Coordinates of all heavy atoms in Angstrom, one line a residue:
I1 N -8.0 214.3 -42.5 CA -8.7 215.4 -41.9 C -9.4 214.9 -40.6 O -10.1 214.0 -40.6 CB -9.8 215.9 -42.8 CG1 -9.2 216.4 -44.1 CG2 -10.7 217.0 -42.1 CD1 -10.2 216.9 -45.2
T2 N -9.1 215.6 -39.5 CA -9.7 215.4 -38.2 C -10.6 216.5 -37.9 O -10.2 217.7 -38.0 CB -8.6 215.2 -37.2 OG1 -7.7 214.1 -37.5 CG2 -9.2 214.8 -35.8
A3 N -11.8 216.2 -37.5 CA -12.8 217.2 -37.1 C -13.6 216.6 -36.0 O -13.4 215.6 -35.5 CB -13.6 217.5 -38.3
S4 N -14.6 217.4 -35.6 CA -15.6 216.9 -34.6 C -16.7 216.2 -35.3 O -17.0 216.4 -36.5 CB -16.1 218.0 -33.7 OG -16.8 218.9 -34.5
W5 N -17.4 215.3 -34.6 CA -18.6 214.6 -35.2 C -19.6 214.4 -34.1 O -19.2 214.6 -32.9 CB -18.2 213.3 -35.8 CG -17.5 212.3 -35.0 CD1 -16.2 212.4 -34.5 CD2 -18.0 211.1 -34.5 NE1 -15.9 211.3 -33.7 CE2 -17.0 210.5 -33.7 CE3 -19.2 210.4 -34.6 CZ2 -17.1 209.3 -33.1 CZ3 -19.3 209.2 -34.0 CH2 -18.3 208.7 -33.2
T6 N -20.8 214.1 -34.4 CA -21.8 213.9 -33.4 C -22.4 212.5 -33.6 O -23.2 212.3 -34.5 CB -22.9 215.0 -33.6 OG1 -22.3 216.3 -33.6 CG2 -24.0 214.9 -32.6
P7 N -22.1 211.6 -32.6 CA -22.7 210.3 -32.7 C -24.2 210.4 -32.4 O -24.7 211.2 -31.6 CB -22.0 209.5 -31.6 CG -21.5 210.5 -30.7 CD -21.2 211.8 -31.5
A8 N -25.0 209.5 -33.1 CA -26.4 209.4 -32.8 C -26.7 208.8 -31.4 O -25.9 208.0 -30.9 CB -27.0 208.5 -33.9
V9 N -27.7 209.3 -30.8 CA -28.1 208.9 -29.4 C -29.5 208.5 -29.3 O -30.4 209.3 -29.8 CB -27.7 210.0 -28.4 CG1 -28.1 209.6 -27.0 CG2 -26.3 210.4 -28.4
D10 N -29.8 207.4 -28.7 CA -31.2 207.1 -28.4 C -31.4 207.3 -26.9 O -30.4 206.9 -26.1 CB -31.5 205.6 -28.7 CG -31.5 205.3 -30.2 OD1 -31.7 206.3 -31.0 OD2 -31.3 204.1 -30.5
V11 N -32.5 207.9 -26.4 CA -32.7 208.1 -25.0 C -34.0 207.3 -24.6 O -35.0 207.5 -25.3 CB -32.9 209.6 -24.6 CG1 -33.1 209.7 -23.1 CG2 -31.6 210.3 -25.1
H12 N -33.9 206.4 -23.6 CA -35.0 205.6 -23.2 C -35.3 205.9 -21.7 O -34.4 205.8 -20.9 CB -34.7 204.1 -23.5 CG -35.8 203.2 -23.1 ND1 -35.7 202.3 -22.1 CD2 -37.1 203.1 -23.5 CE1 -36.8 201.6 -21.9 NE2 -37.7 202.1 -22.8
E13 N -36.5 206.1 -21.4 CA -36.9 206.4 -20.0 C -37.8 205.2 -19.5 O -38.7 204.8 -20.2 CB -37.7 207.7 -19.9 CG -38.1 208.0 -18.4 CD -38.9 209.3 -18.3 OE1 -39.4 209.8 -19.4 OE2 -39.1 209.7 -17.2
T14 N -37.4 204.7 -18.3 CA -38.2 203.7 -17.6 C -38.7 204.3 -16.3 O -38.4 205.5 -16.0 CB -37.5 202.4 -17.3 OG1 -36.5 202.7 -16.3 CG2 -36.8 201.9 -18.6
K15 N -39.5 203.6 -15.6 CA -39.9 204.1 -14.3 C -38.8 204.3 -13.3 O -38.9 205.1 -12.4 CB -41.0 203.3 -13.7 CG -40.6 201.9 -13.2 CD -41.8 201.2 -12.5 CE -41.2 199.9 -11.9 NZ -41.4 199.9 -10.5
D16 N -37.6 203.6 -13.5 CA -36.5 203.7 -12.6 C -35.3 204.4 -13.1 O -34.4 204.7 -12.3 CB -36.1 202.3 -12.1 CG -37.2 201.6 -11.4 OD1 -38.0 202.2 -10.6 OD2 -37.4 200.3 -11.6
S17 N -35.2 204.6 -14.4 CA -33.9 205.1 -14.9 C -34.1 205.7 -16.3 O -35.1 205.6 -17.0 CB -32.9 204.0 -15.0 OG -33.3 203.0 -16.0
W18 N -33.0 206.4 -16.7 CA -32.9 206.9 -18.1 C -31.7 206.1 -18.7 O -30.7 205.8 -18.0 CB -32.6 208.4 -18.1 CG -33.7 209.3 -17.9 CD1 -34.9 209.0 -17.2 CD2 -33.9 210.6 -18.4 NE1 -35.7 210.1 -17.2 CE2 -35.1 211.1 -18.0 CE3 -33.1 211.4 -19.2 CZ2 -35.5 212.4 -18.3 CZ3 -33.5 212.7 -19.5 CH2 -34.8 213.1 -19.0
E19 N -31.8 205.8 -20.0 CA -30.7 205.0 -20.7 C -30.4 205.8 -22.0 O -31.3 206.0 -22.8 CB -31.2 203.6 -20.9 CG -30.1 202.8 -21.5 CD -30.5 201.3 -21.6 OE1 -31.1 201.0 -22.6 OE2 -30.3 200.6 -20.6
F20 N -29.1 206.1 -22.1 CA -28.6 206.7 -23.3 C -27.8 205.7 -24.1 O -26.8 205.1 -23.5 CB -27.7 207.9 -22.9 CG -28.5 209.0 -22.1 CD1 -28.6 208.8 -20.7 CD2 -29.0 210.1 -22.7 CE1 -29.3 209.8 -20.0 CE2 -29.7 211.1 -22.0 CZ -29.8 210.9 -20.6
T21 N -28.1 205.5 -25.3 CA -27.3 204.6 -26.1 C -26.7 205.3 -27.3 O -27.4 205.9 -28.1 CB -28.3 203.5 -26.6 OG1 -28.9 202.9 -25.5 CG2 -27.5 202.4 -27.4
L22 N -25.4 205.2 -27.4 CA -24.6 205.9 -28.5 C -23.9 204.9 -29.4 O -23.3 204.0 -28.9 CB -23.6 206.8 -27.9 CG -24.0 208.1 -27.2 CD1 -24.4 207.8 -25.8 CD2 -22.9 209.1 -27.2
E23 N -24.0 205.1 -30.7 CA -23.2 204.3 -31.6 C -21.9 205.0 -31.8 O -21.8 206.1 -32.4 CB -24.0 204.1 -32.9 CG -25.2 203.2 -32.8 CD -25.8 203.0 -34.1 OE1 -25.5 203.6 -35.1 OE2 -26.7 202.1 -34.2
I24 N -20.8 204.4 -31.3 CA -19.5 204.9 -31.5 C -18.5 203.9 -31.9 O -17.5 203.6 -31.3 CB -19.0 205.7 -30.2 CG1 -19.1 204.8 -29.0 CG2 -19.8 207.0 -30.0 CD1 -18.5 205.4 -27.7
P25 N -18.7 203.2 -33.1 CA -17.8 202.1 -33.5 C -16.4 202.7 -33.8 O -16.3 203.8 -34.3 CB -18.5 201.6 -34.8 CG -19.3 202.8 -35.3 CD -19.8 203.5 -34.0
G26 N -15.5 201.9 -33.4 CA -14.1 202.2 -33.6 C -13.5 203.1 -32.6 O -12.3 203.5 -32.7
V27 N -14.3 203.5 -31.6 CA -13.8 204.4 -30.5 C -13.2 203.5 -29.4 O -13.8 202.6 -29.0 CB -14.9 205.3 -30.0 CG1 -14.3 206.1 -28.8 CG2 -15.4 206.2 -31.0
D28 N -12.0 203.8 -29.1 CA -11.3 203.1 -27.9 C -12.0 203.5 -26.7 O -12.1 204.7 -26.3 CB -9.8 203.5 -27.9 CG -9.1 202.9 -26.8 OD1 -9.7 202.2 -25.9 OD2 -7.8 203.0 -26.7
P29 N -12.5 202.5 -25.9 CA -13.2 202.9 -24.6 C -12.4 203.7 -23.7 O -12.9 204.5 -22.9 CB -13.6 201.5 -24.0 CG -13.5 200.6 -25.1 CD -12.5 201.1 -26.1
A30 N -11.1 203.6 -23.8 CA -10.2 204.4 -22.9 C -10.3 205.9 -23.3 O -9.8 206.8 -22.5 CB -8.8 203.9 -23.0
Q31 N -10.8 206.2 -24.5 CA -10.9 207.6 -25.0 C -12.3 208.2 -24.7 O -12.6 209.2 -25.3 CB -10.6 207.6 -26.5 CG -9.2 207.2 -26.8 CD -8.1 208.1 -26.1 OE1 -8.3 209.3 -26.1 NE2 -7.1 207.5 -25.6
V32 N -13.1 207.5 -23.9 CA -14.5 208.0 -23.7 C -14.5 208.4 -22.2 O -14.1 207.7 -21.3 CB -15.5 206.9 -23.9 CG1 -16.9 207.3 -23.6 CG2 -15.5 206.4 -25.4
E33 N -15.1 209.6 -22.0 CA -15.3 210.1 -20.6 C -16.8 210.4 -20.4 O -17.4 211.1 -21.2 CB -14.5 211.4 -20.5 CG -14.7 212.1 -19.1 CD -13.9 213.4 -19.0 OE1 -13.5 213.9 -20.1 OE2 -13.8 213.8 -17.9
V34 N -17.3 209.9 -19.3 CA -18.7 210.1 -19.0 C -18.7 210.8 -17.6 O -18.2 210.3 -16.6 CB -19.5 208.8 -18.9 CG1 -21.0 209.1 -18.4 CG2 -19.5 208.1 -20.2
T35 N -19.3 212.0 -17.5 CA -19.4 212.8 -16.3 C -20.8 213.3 -16.1 O -21.6 213.5 -17.1 CB -18.4 214.0 -16.3 OG1 -18.8 214.9 -17.3 CG2 -17.0 213.5 -16.4
A36 N -21.2 213.5 -14.8 CA -22.4 214.1 -14.5 C -22.2 215.1 -13.4 O -21.6 214.8 -12.4 CB -23.4 213.1 -14.1
E37 N -22.6 216.4 -13.6 CA -22.4 217.4 -12.6 C -23.5 218.5 -12.9 O -23.8 218.9 -14.0 CB -21.0 218.0 -12.8 CG -20.7 219.0 -11.7 CD -19.2 219.6 -11.9 OE1 -18.4 218.8 -12.4 OE2 -19.0 220.7 -11.4
A38 N -24.0 219.0 -11.8 CA -25.1 220.0 -11.8 C -26.2 219.6 -12.8 O -26.7 220.4 -13.6 CB -24.5 221.3 -12.2
R39 N -26.6 218.3 -12.7 CA -27.7 217.8 -13.5 C -27.5 217.8 -15.0 O -28.4 217.8 -15.8 CB -29.0 218.5 -13.2 CG -29.5 218.2 -11.8 CD -30.8 218.9 -11.4 NE -31.7 218.9 -12.5 CZ -32.6 219.9 -12.7 NH1 -32.6 220.9 -12.0 NH2 -33.4 219.8 -13.8
V40 N -26.2 217.8 -15.4 CA -25.8 217.7 -16.8 C -25.0 216.5 -17.0 O -23.9 216.3 -16.4 CB -25.1 219.0 -17.3 CG1 -24.7 218.8 -18.8 CG2 -26.0 220.2 -17.2
L41 N -25.4 215.6 -17.9 CA -24.6 214.4 -18.3 C -23.8 214.8 -19.5 O -24.4 215.3 -20.5 CB -25.6 213.2 -18.6 CG -24.9 212.0 -19.2 CD1 -24.0 211.3 -18.1 CD2 -25.9 211.0 -19.8
K42 N -22.5 214.6 -19.4 CA -21.6 214.8 -20.6 C -20.9 213.5 -21.0 O -20.4 212.8 -20.2 CB -20.6 215.9 -20.3 CG -21.2 217.3 -20.1 CD -20.1 218.3 -20.0 CE -20.7 219.7 -19.9 NZ -19.7 220.7 -19.7
I43 N -21.0 213.3 -22.3 CA -20.3 212.1 -22.8 C -19.3 212.7 -23.9 O -19.7 213.3 -24.9 CB -21.3 211.1 -23.5 CG1 -22.3 210.7 -22.4 CG2 -20.6 209.9 -24.0 CD1 -23.5 210.0 -23.0
R44 N -18.0 212.4 -23.7 CA -17.0 212.9 -24.6 C -16.1 211.8 -25.0 O -15.9 210.8 -24.3 CB -16.1 213.9 -23.8 CG -16.7 215.2 -23.3 CD -15.6 216.0 -22.7 NE -16.2 217.2 -22.1 CZ -16.3 217.5 -20.9 NH1 -15.8 216.7 -20.0 NH2 -16.9 218.6 -20.5
G45 N -15.5 212.0 -26.2 CA -14.6 211.0 -26.7 C -13.9 211.4 -27.9 O -14.1 212.5 -28.4
E46 N -13.1 210.5 -28.4 CA -12.4 210.8 -29.7 C -12.1 209.5 -30.4 O -11.8 208.5 -29.8 CB -11.1 211.5 -29.4 CG -10.4 212.0 -30.7 CD -9.3 213.0 -30.4 OE1 -9.1 213.4 -29.3 OE2 -8.6 213.4 -31.4
K47 N -12.3 209.6 -31.7 CA -12.1 208.5 -32.6 C -10.9 208.8 -33.5 O -11.0 209.8 -34.3 CB -13.3 208.2 -33.5 CG -13.1 207.0 -34.4 CD -14.3 206.7 -35.2 CE -14.1 205.5 -36.1 NZ -15.3 205.3 -36.9
A48 N -9.9 208.0 -33.4 CA -8.7 208.2 -34.2 C -8.7 207.1 -35.3 O -9.0 206.0 -35.0 CB -7.4 208.2 -33.4
I49 N -8.3 207.5 -36.5 CA -8.2 206.5 -37.6 C -6.7 206.5 -38.0 O -6.1 207.5 -38.3 CB -9.1 206.9 -38.8 CG1 -10.6 206.7 -38.4 CG2 -8.8 206.0 -40.0 CD1 -11.5 207.0 -39.5
V50 N -6.2 205.3 -38.0 CA -4.8 205.1 -38.4 C -4.9 204.9 -39.9 O -5.5 203.9 -40.4 CB -4.1 204.0 -37.7 CG1 -2.7 203.7 -38.3 CG2 -4.1 204.2 -36.2
R51 N -4.4 205.8 -40.7 CA -4.4 205.6 -42.2 C -3.0 205.2 -42.6 O -2.2 206.0 -42.9 CB -4.8 207.0 -42.8 CG -6.2 207.3 -42.5 CD -6.6 208.6 -43.2 NE -8.0 208.9 -43.0 CZ -8.5 209.8 -42.2 NH1 -7.7 210.4 -41.4 NH2 -9.8 209.9 -42.1
T52 N -2.9 203.9 -42.7 CA -1.6 203.4 -43.2 C -1.9 202.1 -44.0 O -2.8 201.3 -43.7 CB -0.7 203.1 -42.1 OG1 0.5 202.6 -42.6 CG2 -1.2 202.1 -41.1
N53 N -1.1 201.9 -45.0 CA -1.2 200.7 -45.8 C 0.0 199.9 -45.6 O 0.3 199.0 -46.3 CB -1.5 201.0 -47.3 CG -0.3 201.8 -47.9 OD1 0.6 202.1 -47.2 ND2 -0.5 202.2 -49.1
G54 N 0.8 200.2 -44.6 CA 2.0 199.5 -44.3 C 3.2 200.0 -45.0 O 4.3 199.5 -44.9
E55 N 3.0 201.0 -45.9 CA 4.2 201.5 -46.7 C 4.2 203.0 -46.5 O 3.2 203.7 -46.2 CB 4.0 201.2 -48.1 CG 3.9 199.7 -48.4 CD 3.5 199.5 -49.9 OE1 3.5 200.4 -50.7 OE2 3.3 198.3 -50.2
E56 N 5.3 203.6 -46.7 CA 5.5 205.1 -46.6 C 5.1 205.8 -47.9 O 5.0 207.0 -48.0 CB 6.9 205.4 -46.2 CG 7.3 204.9 -44.8 CD 6.4 205.6 -43.7 OE1 6.1 206.8 -43.8 OE2 6.1 204.9 -42.8
E57 N 5.0 205.0 -49.0 CA 4.7 205.6 -50.3 C 3.2 205.8 -50.5 O 2.4 205.3 -49.8 CB 5.2 204.7 -51.4 CG 6.7 204.4 -51.4 CD 7.1 203.4 -52.5 OE1 6.3 203.2 -53.4 OE2 8.2 202.9 -52.4
G58 N 3.0 206.6 -51.5 CA 1.6 206.8 -51.9 C 0.9 208.0 -51.3 O 1.4 208.7 -50.4
R59 N -0.4 208.1 -51.7 CA -1.2 209.2 -51.1 C -2.6 208.7 -51.0 O -3.0 207.9 -51.8 CB -1.1 210.5 -51.9 CG -1.6 210.4 -53.3 CD -1.3 211.6 -54.2 NE -1.7 211.4 -55.5 CZ -2.6 212.0 -56.1 NH1 -3.3 213.0 -55.5 NH2 -3.0 211.8 -57.4
W60 N -3.4 209.3 -50.1 CA -4.8 209.0 -50.0 C -5.6 209.7 -51.0 O -5.4 210.9 -51.1 CB -5.3 209.3 -48.6 CG -4.7 208.3 -47.6 CD1 -3.6 208.5 -46.8 CD2 -5.2 207.0 -47.3 NE1 -3.4 207.4 -46.0 CE2 -4.3 206.5 -46.3 CE3 -6.2 206.2 -47.8 CZ2 -4.5 205.2 -45.8 CZ3 -6.4 205.0 -47.3 CH2 -5.5 204.4 -46.3
L61 N -6.4 209.0 -51.8 CA -7.2 209.7 -52.8 C -8.6 210.0 -52.2 O -9.3 210.9 -52.7 CB -7.4 208.8 -54.0 CG -6.0 208.4 -54.7 CD1 -6.3 207.5 -55.8 CD2 -5.3 209.7 -55.1
S62 N -9.0 209.2 -51.3 CA -10.3 209.5 -50.7 C -10.3 208.9 -49.3 O -9.7 207.9 -49.0 CB -11.4 208.8 -51.5 OG -12.7 208.9 -50.9
T63 N -11.0 209.6 -48.3 CA -11.2 209.1 -47.0 C -12.5 209.6 -46.5 O -12.8 210.8 -46.5 CB -10.0 209.5 -46.0 OG1 -10.3 208.9 -44.8 CG2 -9.8 211.0 -45.9
E64 N -13.4 208.6 -46.2 CA -14.8 209.0 -45.8 C -15.1 208.6 -44.4 O -16.2 208.9 -43.9 CB -15.8 208.3 -46.8 CG -15.6 208.8 -48.2 CD -16.6 208.2 -49.1 OE1 -17.4 207.2 -48.7 OE2 -16.6 208.6 -50.3
R65 N -14.2 207.8 -43.7 CA -14.5 207.4 -42.3 C -14.4 208.6 -41.4 O -13.6 209.5 -41.5 CB -13.5 206.3 -41.9 CG -13.7 205.1 -42.7 CD -12.7 204.0 -42.3 NE -11.3 204.4 -42.6 CZ -10.3 203.9 -42.0 NH1 -10.4 202.9 -41.1 NH2 -9.1 204.3 -42.4
I66 N -15.3 208.6 -40.4 CA -15.4 209.7 -39.5 C -14.3 209.5 -38.4 O -14.0 208.5 -38.0 CB -16.8 209.7 -38.8 CG1 -17.9 209.9 -39.8 CG2 -16.9 210.7 -37.6 CD1 -19.3 209.7 -39.2
S67 N -13.7 210.7 -38.0 CA -12.8 210.7 -37.0 C -12.8 212.0 -36.3 O -13.5 213.0 -36.7 CB -11.4 210.4 -37.5 OG -11.0 211.5 -38.4
G68 N -12.2 212.1 -35.1 CA -12.1 213.3 -34.4 C -12.9 213.2 -33.0 O -13.3 212.2 -32.6
A69 N -13.0 214.4 -32.4 CA -13.6 214.4 -31.0 C -15.1 214.6 -31.1 O -15.6 215.1 -32.1 CB -13.0 215.6 -30.3
F70 N -15.8 214.1 -30.1 CA -17.2 214.3 -30.0 C -17.6 214.6 -28.6 O -16.9 214.3 -27.6 CB -18.0 213.1 -30.5 CG -17.9 211.9 -29.6 CD1 -18.7 211.7 -28.5 CD2 -16.9 210.9 -29.9 CE1 -18.6 210.5 -27.7 CE2 -16.8 209.8 -29.1 CZ -17.6 209.6 -28.0
E71 N -18.7 215.3 -28.4 CA -19.2 215.6 -27.1 C -20.8 215.7 -27.2 O -21.2 216.4 -28.1 CB -18.7 216.9 -26.5 CG -19.2 217.2 -25.1 CD -18.6 218.4 -24.5 OE1 -17.4 218.6 -24.7 OE2 -19.3 219.1 -23.7
R72 N -21.5 215.1 -26.3 CA -22.9 215.2 -26.2 C -23.2 215.6 -24.8 O -22.6 215.0 -23.8 CB -23.6 213.9 -26.6 CG -23.4 213.4 -28.0 CD -24.0 214.3 -29.1 NE -25.4 214.7 -28.9 CZ -26.4 214.1 -29.5 NH1 -26.2 213.1 -30.4 NH2 -27.6 214.5 -29.3
S73 N -24.2 216.5 -24.6 CA -24.6 216.9 -23.2 C -26.2 216.7 -23.1 O -26.9 217.0 -24.1 CB -24.2 218.3 -22.9 OG -22.8 218.5 -23.0
F74 N -26.6 216.3 -21.9 CA -28.0 216.1 -21.7 C -28.4 216.7 -20.3 O -27.7 216.3 -19.3 CB -28.4 214.6 -21.8 CG -28.0 214.0 -23.1 CD1 -26.7 213.4 -23.2 CD2 -28.8 214.1 -24.2 CE1 -26.4 212.8 -24.4 CE2 -28.4 213.5 -25.4 CZ -27.2 212.9 -25.5
R75 N -29.5 217.4 -20.2 CA -30.0 217.9 -18.9 C -30.7 216.7 -18.3 O -31.6 216.1 -18.9 CB -30.9 219.1 -19.2 CG -31.7 219.5 -18.0 CD -30.9 220.3 -16.9 NE -30.3 221.5 -17.4 CZ -29.4 222.1 -16.6 NH1 -29.0 221.6 -15.5 NH2 -28.8 223.2 -17.1
L76 N -30.4 216.5 -17.0 CA -31.0 215.4 -16.3 C -32.1 215.9 -15.3 O -31.9 217.0 -14.8 CB -29.9 214.6 -15.5 CG -28.8 214.0 -16.3 CD1 -27.7 213.4 -15.4 CD2 -29.4 212.9 -17.2
P77 N -33.1 215.1 -15.1 CA -34.1 215.5 -14.1 C -33.5 215.5 -12.7 O -32.5 214.9 -12.4 CB -35.2 214.5 -14.2 CG -34.6 213.3 -14.8 CD -33.4 213.8 -15.7
A78 N -34.1 216.3 -11.8 CA -33.6 216.5 -10.4 C -33.5 215.2 -9.7 O -32.6 215.0 -8.8 CB -34.5 217.5 -9.7
Q79 N -34.3 214.2 -9.9 CA -34.3 213.0 -9.2 C -33.2 212.0 -9.6 O -33.0 211.0 -8.9 CB -35.7 212.2 -9.2 CG -36.1 211.7 -10.6 CD -36.9 212.7 -11.4 OE1 -36.8 213.9 -11.3 NE2 -37.7 212.2 -12.3
V80 N -32.4 212.3 -10.6 CA -31.3 211.4 -11.0 C -30.2 211.5 -10.0 O -29.8 212.6 -9.6 CB -30.8 211.8 -12.4 CG1 -29.5 211.0 -12.7 CG2 -31.9 211.4 -13.5
R81 N -29.7 210.3 -9.6 CA -28.6 210.2 -8.6 C -27.3 210.2 -9.5 O -27.0 209.2 -10.1 CB -28.7 209.0 -7.7 CG -29.8 209.1 -6.7 CD -29.9 207.9 -5.8 NE -28.6 207.4 -5.5 CZ -28.3 206.0 -5.6 NH1 -29.3 205.2 -5.9 NH2 -27.1 205.6 -5.3
E82 N -26.5 211.2 -9.5 CA -25.3 211.3 -10.3 C -24.3 210.3 -9.9 O -23.5 209.8 -10.7 CB -24.7 212.7 -10.2 CG -25.6 213.8 -10.9 CD -25.1 215.2 -10.7 OE1 -24.1 215.4 -10.0 OE2 -25.7 216.1 -11.3
D83 N -24.3 209.9 -8.6 CA -23.3 208.8 -8.2 C -23.7 207.4 -8.6 O -23.0 206.5 -8.4 CB -23.2 208.9 -6.7 CG -24.4 208.6 -5.9 OD1 -25.5 208.8 -6.5 OD2 -24.3 208.2 -4.7
A84 N -24.9 207.2 -9.2 CA -25.4 205.9 -9.6 C -25.3 205.7 -11.1 O -25.7 204.7 -11.6 CB -26.8 205.7 -9.1
I85 N -24.7 206.6 -11.8 CA -24.6 206.5 -13.2 C -23.6 205.4 -13.6 O -22.5 205.4 -13.0 CB -24.2 207.9 -13.9 CG1 -25.4 208.8 -13.7 CG2 -23.9 207.7 -15.4 CD1 -25.1 210.2 -14.1
E86 N -24.0 204.6 -14.5 CA -23.1 203.5 -15.0 C -23.0 203.5 -16.5 O -23.9 203.9 -17.2 CB -23.7 202.1 -14.6 CG -23.9 201.9 -13.1 CD -24.5 200.5 -12.8 OE1 -25.0 199.8 -13.8 OE2 -24.6 200.2 -11.6
A87 N -21.8 203.1 -17.0 CA -21.6 203.1 -18.4 C -21.0 201.7 -18.8 O -20.2 201.2 -18.1 CB -20.6 204.2 -18.9
R88 N -21.4 201.2 -20.0 CA -20.9 200.0 -20.5 C -20.7 200.1 -22.0 O -21.5 200.8 -22.7 CB -21.7 198.8 -20.1 CG -23.1 198.8 -20.5 CD -23.9 197.6 -19.8 NE -25.3 197.6 -20.2 CZ -26.2 198.5 -19.8 NH1 -25.9 199.4 -18.9 NH2 -27.4 198.4 -20.3
Y89 N -19.7 199.4 -22.5 CA -19.3 199.6 -24.0 C -19.2 198.2 -24.5 O -18.4 197.3 -24.0 CB -18.0 200.3 -24.1 CG -17.6 200.6 -25.5 CD1 -18.0 201.7 -26.2 CD2 -16.7 199.7 -26.1 CE1 -17.6 202.0 -27.5 CE2 -16.3 200.0 -27.4 CZ -16.7 201.1 -28.1 OH -16.3 201.4 -29.4
A90 N -19.9 197.9 -25.6 CA -19.8 196.6 -26.2 C -20.1 196.7 -27.7 O -21.1 197.3 -28.1 CB -20.8 195.6 -25.6
Q91 N -19.3 196.2 -28.5 CA -19.4 196.1 -30.0 C -19.8 197.4 -30.6 O -20.6 197.6 -31.4 CB -20.5 195.1 -30.3 CG -20.1 193.7 -29.9 CD -21.2 192.6 -30.2 OE1 -22.3 193.0 -30.4 NE2 -20.8 191.4 -30.3
G92 N -19.1 198.5 -30.1 CA -19.2 199.8 -30.7 C -20.4 200.6 -30.2 O -20.7 201.7 -30.8
V93 N -21.1 200.1 -29.2 CA -22.2 200.8 -28.6 C -21.9 201.1 -27.1 O -21.6 200.2 -26.4 CB -23.5 199.9 -28.7 CG1 -24.7 200.6 -28.1 CG2 -23.8 199.7 -30.2
L94 N -22.1 202.4 -26.8 CA -21.9 202.8 -25.4 C -23.3 203.0 -24.8 O -24.2 203.7 -25.4 CB -21.2 204.2 -25.3 CG -21.1 204.8 -24.0 CD1 -20.2 204.0 -23.0 CD2 -20.6 206.2 -24.1
T95 N -23.6 202.4 -23.7 CA -24.9 202.6 -23.0 C -24.6 203.2 -21.6 O -23.8 202.6 -20.8 CB -25.6 201.2 -22.8 OG1 -25.7 200.6 -24.1 CG2 -26.9 201.3 -22.2
V96 N -25.2 204.3 -21.3 CA -25.1 205.0 -20.1 C -26.5 204.9 -19.4 O -27.5 205.4 -20.0 CB -24.6 206.4 -20.2 CG1 -24.5 207.2 -18.9 CG2 -23.3 206.5 -21.0
T97 N -26.5 204.4 -18.2 CA -27.8 204.3 -17.4 C -27.7 205.1 -16.1 O -26.7 205.0 -15.5 CB -28.1 202.8 -17.1 OG1 -28.0 202.0 -18.3 CG2 -29.4 202.6 -16.4

């Protein structure tokens, strides 16, 4: 079953920046898009789960891992420079500053 999901986000404000931290383990960084336009930060992505045991036989009796597309949006303050936004991904955590 593929559906949408909502990753948890922490937002931290300093005197110089805002930092958004999302837990998105198992998401391919190539499947993540970060955009900022009209003072709205959008973070989109998709997590695909390959369900295979190496054989064509059998059936899945239970699957609890999250998969599917996600999108989070945040209104940014006027002083944020959209051209200065940076994103980094390490060990399943996306940080956008």
Side-chain angles (χ1 to χ4, degrees):
I1 297 174
T2 301
S4 65
W5 59 288
T6 304
V9 178
D10 293 339
V11 181
H12 179 244
E13 180 182 14
T14 70
K15 69 178 186 117
D16 297 324
S17 67
W18 282 29
E19 186 173 86
F20 300 83
T21 305
L22 291 81
E23 290 185 349
I24 52 173
V27 175
D28 179 352
Q31 298 299 317
V32 177
E33 178 183 15
V34 177
T35 60
E37 186 176 333
R39 294 181 37 214
V40 176
L41 174 69
K42 289 188 179 180
I43 303 169
R44 298 181 181 113
E46 186 164 357
K47 180 178 180 183
I49 294 181
V50 177
R51 292 185 173 99
T52 180
N53 60 2
E55 300 174 9
E56 295 297 321
E57 298 178 14
R59 63 187 175 114
W60 289 97
L61 301 177
S62 175
T63 182
E64 296 181 355
R65 294 181 294 164
I66 296 171
S67 64
F70 67 88
E71 180 176 329
R72 298 295 308 260
S73 297
F74 305 91
R75 170 73 59 194
L76 299 172
Q79 67 269 27
V80 169
R81 289 184 30 228
E82 293 175 354
D83 63 337
I85 293 174
E86 298 178 355
R88 59 192 180 283
Y89 183 86
Q91 298 180 339
V93 177
L94 175 68
T95 303
V96 179
T97 306

